[in-house]
């Protein structure tokens, strides 16, 4: 698997750019890897704090839209300096190199970063997977199991939590022992995957949240695997694969800011559950003009948000990592759940 190669390349690129003093300081191999941190006793910020927030298109883009549109960032005295990334690898590198203070990080990438001494810490969770693997309607492929030896386009490549969960599904449900080896994986941006599928350059495509909605609305494709449904049938409720991540150093100095972000997140999630109009606004923002889009977005995206971050959710995340180890391999992934990866003390009760 090429996870570490891509991660090292992303980190090296950021270091070469010299974006910030913090980023440059993190470019060495050192960093906090440690165990459990001291619980946060700091209150919420008393004055406005600027937070560099890393996002990419999809469920996280929507929650950020709501947070700003409804003023929940202002409520918790946060000024969001949003850094946008077009693929998970770039965002994961930015989190690991401290180019952002908070980022919507994939579970697997954050585990690997901490295991490599980057001090990455997960302090909340956003959503479980809403992704689907599609083929063209005229494809002779009838089951995900038929992808052995064929070409699968994947928007996050092997480095994404989405690919990791699909690898577990492939093994446990469809009999594909090693998705990364038994299937030819093409890493490609989410925006390009359906075009590659149309051109026949891939046999199937694992696409992101927004692309999943567009594909369903188009009526041009068949679903081979609905990841969350397949995982749930086998194991019960799927864990969150998109998390809220920071790093030990930032958490030590700004744990109150992380609490504030958790509060703004909780308010935003609560708003999404009760306001249907926001889905129409978001559909317009991401330029999907199909009148069915708001309902489809609410169905595919809204139902996957996770509104409670506690010990039970941490257990679900831990269990997924443990399931992934034999699938991805210790050399390419982690040998155990890294100590100190999860924190549950950075929460506030939304008002």
């Amino acid at each position: 698997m090429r996870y570490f190669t891509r991660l090292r390349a992303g980190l090296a690129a950021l270091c070469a750019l010299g974006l910030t003093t913090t980023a440059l300081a993190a470019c060495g191999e050192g960093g906090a890897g440690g165990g459990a941190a001291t619980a946060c006793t700091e209150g919420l910020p008393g004055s406005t704090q600027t937070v560099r927030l890393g996002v990419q298109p999809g469920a996280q883009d929507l929650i950020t839209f709501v947070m700003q549109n409804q003023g929940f960032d202002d409520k918790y005295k946060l000024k969001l300096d949003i850094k946008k990334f077009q693929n998970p690898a770039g965002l994961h590198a930015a989190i690991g190199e401290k180019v952002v203070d908070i980022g919507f990080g994939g579970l697997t990438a954050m585990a690997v970063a901490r295991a490599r001494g980057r001090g990455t810490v997960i302090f909340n969770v956003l959503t479980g997977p809403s992704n689907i693997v599609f083929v063209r309607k005229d494809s002779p492929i009838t089951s995900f199991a038929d992808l052995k030896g064929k070409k699968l386009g994947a928007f996050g490549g092997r480095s994404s939590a989405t690919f990791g969960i699909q690898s577990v599904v492939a093994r446990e449900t469809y009999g594909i022992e090693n998705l990364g080896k038994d299937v030819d994986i093409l890493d490609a941006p989410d925006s390009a995957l359906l075009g590659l599928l149309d051109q026949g350059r891939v046999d199937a495509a694992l696409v992101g949240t927004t692309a999943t909605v567009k594909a369903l609305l188009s009526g041009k494709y068949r679903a081979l695997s609905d990841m969350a449904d397949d995982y749930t049938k086998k194991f019960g409720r799927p864990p969150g694969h998109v998390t809220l991540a920071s790093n030990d150093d930032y958490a030590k100095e700004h744990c109150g800011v992380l609490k504030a972000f958790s509060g703004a997140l909780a308010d935003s999630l609560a708003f999404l559950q009760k306001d249907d109009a926001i889905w129409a606004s978001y559909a317009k923002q991401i330029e999907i003009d199909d009148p069915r889009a708001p309902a489809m977005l609410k169905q595919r995206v809204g139902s996957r948000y996770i509104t409670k971050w506690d010990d039970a959710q941490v257990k679900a995340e831990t269990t997924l990592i443990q399931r992934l180890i034999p699938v991805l391999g210790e050399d390419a992934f982690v040998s155990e759940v890294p100590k100190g990866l999860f924190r549950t003390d950075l929460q506030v009760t939304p008002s």
Side-chain angles (χ1 to χ4, degrees):
M1 296 178 69
R2 294 175 289 175
Y3 177 85
F4 285 129
T5 302
R6 294 181 66 209
L7 181 60
R8 282 195 293 268
L11 298 179
L14 285 170
C15 291
L17 286 172
L19 292 177
T20 65
T21 302
T22 303
L24 288 170
C27 289
E29 284 298 316
T38 302
C40 180
T41 57
E42 187 177 320
L44 295 174
S47 59
T48 299
Q49 303 293 309
T50 298
V51 177
R52 298 172 301 171
L53 176 65
V55 305
Q56 63 183 53
Q60 53 195 265
D61 208 19
L62 171 57
I63 206 69
T64 307
F65 171 74
V66 171
M67 195 178 291
Q68 293 188 304
N69 186 266
Q70 298 301 313
F72 297 131
D73 52 347
D74 292 334
K75 173 183 174 181
Y76 288 91
K77 292 183 167 39
L78 300 175
K79 180 181 179 181
L80 302 183
D81 177 12
I82 295 177
K83 314 290 187 183
K84 293 193 175 184
F85 299 82
Q86 291 306 307
N87 59 71
L91 177 51
H92 295 158
I95 295 170
E97 288 302 330
K98 306 177 186 178
V99 173
V100 296
D101 305 313
I102 299 171
F104 291 93
L107 174 66
T108 54
M110 298 303 95
V112 171
R114 188 166 187 89
R116 287 180 57 79
R118 298 289 169 181
T120 310
V121 61
I122 292 171
F123 69 97
N124 214 314
V125 67
L126 180 65
T127 182
S130 58
N131 314 81
I132 290 177
V133 176
F134 290 102
V135 293
R136 297 188 310 274
K137 275 196 168 179
D138 62 356
S139 172
I141 298 171
T142 59
S143 168
F144 190 89
D146 298 333
L147 286 180
K148 271 190 176 182
K150 294 188 169 55
K151 187 171 287 186
L152 171 67
F155 77 99
R158 294 166 170 84
S159 69
S160 69
T162 306
F163 185 83
I165 297 174
Q166 191 66 53
S167 297
V168 173
V169 167
R171 182 183 189 183
E172 300 294 336
T173 301
Y174 296 102
I176 298 178
E177 190 66 21
N178 189 317
L179 185 61
K181 291 182 178 179
D182 297 338
V183 177
D184 184 8
I185 307 300
L186 175 66
D187 302 351
D190 200 31
S191 57
L193 277 174
L194 294 179
L196 293 173
L197 187 58
D198 291 339
Q199 297 163 19
R201 295 173 62 185
V202 295
D203 299 293
L206 167 59
V207 297
T209 301
T210 302
T212 291
V213 170
K214 289 180 177 178
L216 289 169
L217 290 172
S218 75
K220 294 167 56 179
Y221 310 100
R222 282 190 288 110
L224 281 188
S225 172
D226 184 320
M227 184 187 303
D229 287 351
D230 284 345
Y231 191 99
T232 300
K233 288 173 185 175
K234 186 69 179 180
F235 299 114
R237 181 187 65 177
H241 72 309
V242 178
T243 71
L244 269 295
S246 186
N247 63 79
D248 286 336
D249 291 338
Y250 187 84
K252 183 178 180 180
E253 298 296 326
H254 305 284
C255 68
V257 175
L258 298 184
K259 282 184 175 180
F261 194 88
S262 289
L265 174 66
D267 282 357
S268 300
L269 289 170
F271 180 84
L272 274 175
Q273 303 306 316
K274 64 183 181 181
D275 190 281
D276 286 342
I278 196 67
W279 298 101
S281 298
Y282 184 60
K284 183 177 180 180
Q285 186 201 26
I286 60 176
E287 299 180 345
I288 304 180
D289 56 9
D290 190 304
R292 300 169 296 166
M296 179 69 74
L297 284 165
K298 184 177 181 181
Q299 175 194 347
R300 295 297 309 177
V301 183
S303 63
R304 301 302 199 274
Y305 283 118
I306 298 171
T307 58
K308 193 172 185 181
W309 177 245
D310 55 13
D311 289 341
Q313 191 62 47
V314 168
K315 183 178 179 181
E317 310 301 326
T318 299
T319 299
L320 174 59
I321 292 175
Q322 291 167 339
R323 286 183 181 132
L324 284 169
I325 292 171
V327 174
L328 301 180
E330 293 185 11
D331 290 340
F333 185 41
V334 295
S335 59
E336 62 181 358
V337 180
K339 291 183 176 66
L341 177 62
F342 302 110
R343 290 187 63 170
T344 58
D345 62 310
L346 301 170
Q347 310 297 303
V348 295
T349 302
S351 56

